[in-house]
Amino acid sequence: MTGSAGEPRATALVRDLLERGESVATAESLTGGLVCAALTDVPGASGAVRGSVVAYATPVKEQVLGVGDGVLTGPGTVSQECAEAMALGGARVLHADWCVSTTGVAGPGPSEGAPAGTVHVAVAHREQVVGHRVFSLHGDRDHIRRATVSVALDLLQGCLTRGVSGGEGTVEAAGAATASASAPGPARVDAAAPGTTDAKGEEG
């Protein structure tokens, strides 16, 4: 995932945040801190990155990030409502200007009625949700988790630069096909050739 002139997306994000004097946090489930790790790999990131809440278990989503019981027992953890509540909670708990959240099914099988690879990403700016996308990713757990990092950084960059939830351009996962971010309906990123399995899924 790259920014302008081939600049790595995480580097572009940290640079833009530092120039704006703003901070960012992550609230992660299926990615388990990988989005924050990508940002903190950038030299100087300490001036912009507040930290991360890895809310892998449902009680952590509720008790730490403040995801409401109505969301958890209604739409569930694999939903737009959960992703948006996580982003708002992360911004609040970590006192960040921006927060990007990830939640979904890393696989290998379905969870909460959603197939493996169903991923929701949301961005909050202080007390307002400013972006959400849902993706259908394909591949093994590692591919799905890494592709989620790419689309999360892309959505965050789009919200920073355009103030919209995605905008024009492409969403790209390393070694994968690209999908138009402006196409109607859920974007689709093929992280690897889809496989079959009878194993249970694992939501995050």
Side-chain angles (χ1 to χ4, degrees), residues 1 3 29 34 36 39 47 57 88 96 115 127 132 143 155 157 178 185 197:
M1 184 64 62
S29 192
L34 292 175
C36 190
L39 292 169
L88 289 169
E127 298 179 355
H132 165 265
H143 276 102
L155 177 60
Q157 182 70 74
T178 60
T197 178

Side-chain angles (χ1 to χ4, degrees), residues 12-204:
L13 278 165
V14 170
R15 182 206 64 218
D16 290 349
L17 287 163
L18 290 172
E19 289 178 352
R20 296 163 66 126
E22 293 184 319
S23 59
V24 68
T26 69
E28 305 182 50
S29 192
L30 81 157
T31 47
L34 292 175
V35 179
C36 190
L39 292 169
T40 55
D41 275 346
V42 179
S46 60
V49 180
R50 294 286 298 172
S52 177
V53 174
V54 177
Y56 201 73
T58 298
V60 179
K61 293 179 177 69
E62 181 177 22
Q63 297 165 14
V64 177
L65 294 176
V67 179
D69 183 67
V71 170
L72 298 175
T73 60
T77 62
V78 187
S79 67
Q80 175 177 349
E81 292 86 349
C82 185
E84 292 180 349
M86 288 174 64
L88 289 169
R92 182 185 67 254
V93 170
L94 294 172
H95 306 286
D97 296 303
W98 297 87
C99 183
V100 59
S101 67
T102 63
T103 188
V105 188
S111 179
E112 295 188 13
T118 303
V119 171
H120 289 266
V121 178
V123 173
H125 183 226
R126 302 189 180 111
E127 298 179 355
Q128 179 181 3
V129 175
V130 294
H132 165 265
R133 297 298 303 277
V134 57
F135 298 90
S136 178
L137 309 177
H138 295 273
D140 59 21
R141 284 178 58 82
D142 182 65
H143 276 102
I144 289 171
R145 281 156 49 89
R146 293 184 183 280
T148 301
V149 173
S150 294
V151 297
L153 294 178
D154 189 81
L155 177 60
L156 178 58
Q157 182 70 74
C159 290
L160 257 71
T161 59
R162 297 184 293 271
V164 296
S165 57
E168 298 178 353
T170 59
V171 177
E172 184 175 352
T178 60
S180 172
S182 58
R188 189 176 185 85
V189 179
D190 290 322
T196 59
T197 178
D198 294 324
K200 290 184 177 180
E202 184 172 348
E203 61 85 15

